Amino acid sequence: MKRTGRAPLGRLVALRIVLFAALAMLAQLVAVLIDYGSDPDNMARLVLEQESAELAAGLSLHDTRLAYELPEELRRRYGAAGTGYVARVRTAQGVVLFSHCDQACTAHFLPLDLNPPSFWLRIIAPGYPLSFAGGRTVDIGPRAAFIEVAVTGDPQGAVWGVLAHEVLDHMVLPMSLTLLFVLGATLLSIRAALRPVTAAAEQAERLDPLSPDARLNEAGMPREIAQLAGAVNRSYARTRELMNAQKLFTSAIAHEIRTPLAVIRLELENIDHPAARRTLGELDELAHFIDQMVMLARLEAADRSGFTPVALDEIGREIVGTLAPIIYARGARIGFEEAGDVYVPGNAALLKDAVRNLIENALRHGGPGVSITVRTDDGPGISVIDDGRGFDPDAPGEATDPPGHYRRAGGLGIGLEIVRRIAALHGGRLAIARLAPHGTVARLVFSPAPVTPAR
């Protein structure tokens, strides 16, 4: 399948989902920060829970005796004076296991002889920065410890750690999982929905417009894509109708004109006058044009499905044998050189028409006494070579017209177009080049493909 450089639909959809998910996460982040930030009392509770949980990591149980060692990561906050953070860890009976206290302990903490509640919180100063005191009970094995914390002004920004924890736990992780599943499900759904579309695109790449049954298979397509495929099929059908009408019209005109032309020619042959001789030449040109129209109609009716292996050597040998009397009668020469066992898949009648056109062009426009050689090669290809007048590739008009003596030169000039169409129908091309010091080679070049000779 031909690559166009365009991004696949699945990738575009995935990128857009990720983009909008990122925008949604950003909006939710702002909403979470506003929601939590607008309630400083709740933030104080969350900071108390976080600080007490981190302090509880230093508790240990030796048999039935509790011990405490301040974690290393908390020494900067609870291991020095004047930090704005104080803490005390004690048992329910009032035994102090750790104390980092100043006057705030006496002013804000519960008395040691008081049986502490499971949780308490008191706001010292409302709003931000946070100033509060509180405590909660934690269990370690069969024993219980009471951790008390007092914060004055929150100079080290414990509130930001709480916000980061809340955002991570309640937004980033859930939304990441949601995005993963949504993105995966979306991509799988798109891939499943586009599978018949992809198959239709590959079929369209291989579609032969000249085939009488060329159409896209609409089975399994989503409705919107099936409508597009149906429109394409209707366009193909309409194009085939127009081509068939054109072929019928062209063929009918050609056959209708042949009879009066033959009658006119018979009458002119009985007139002994130079003007009649000139008119006969013009009639020959017109008859040749009618033959080309018939050939063009037959070409447009061709179908690749009926192609069979054709021996280029046999075609060249047969055409040369058929045209040799005409060529010799005009004072020209023709010969054939074969490569041996060169086969291409195609229509033998059309390939003969193409070679005949090239030989007639060389005969008509190559000049008096032109020598023509038909040669096959294992390219595979077949060439018509002459030593006639040749052509000048830099001459005006030759960028669009057939080069040199393959231009109209008084004829009606559709022969080479027919040859090009026959070559294209067979997956090949027509290549024309000048020979030094004079002469022209016109070669039908076909794509190499293994074929089995017909027996």
Side-chain angles (χ1 to χ4, degrees), residues 99-140:
S99 178
H100 170 240
C101 286
D102 50 19
Q103 296 296 327
C105 288
T106 304
H108 304 310
F109 289 171
L110 298 179
L112 289 174
D113 57 354
L114 180 66
N115 189 24
S118 59
F119 185 89
W120 67 273
L121 174 67
R122 182 166 62 87
I123 303 298
I124 299 173
Y128 293 100
L130 297 179
S131 294
F132 66 90
R136 71 185 184 101
T137 301
V138 296
D139 294 324
I140 175 168

Side-chain angles (χ1 to χ4, degrees), residues 229-248:
V232 172
N233 289 335
R234 289 192 295 273
S235 298
Y236 267 111
R238 179 57 178 162
T239 301
R240 283 193 293 270
E241 290 177 2
L242 293 175
M243 291 179 63
N244 290 333
Q246 179 184 356
K247 287 184 288 186
L248 179 62

Side-chain angles (χ1 to χ4, degrees), residues 11-27 175 179 182-183:
R11 185 186 304 171
L12 292 176
V13 173
L15 290 175
R16 291 177 183 178
I17 291 176
V18 172
L19 174 61
F20 284 106
L23 292 176
M25 292 179 70
L26 180 61
M175 287 202 68
L179 174 63
V182 169
L183 183 59

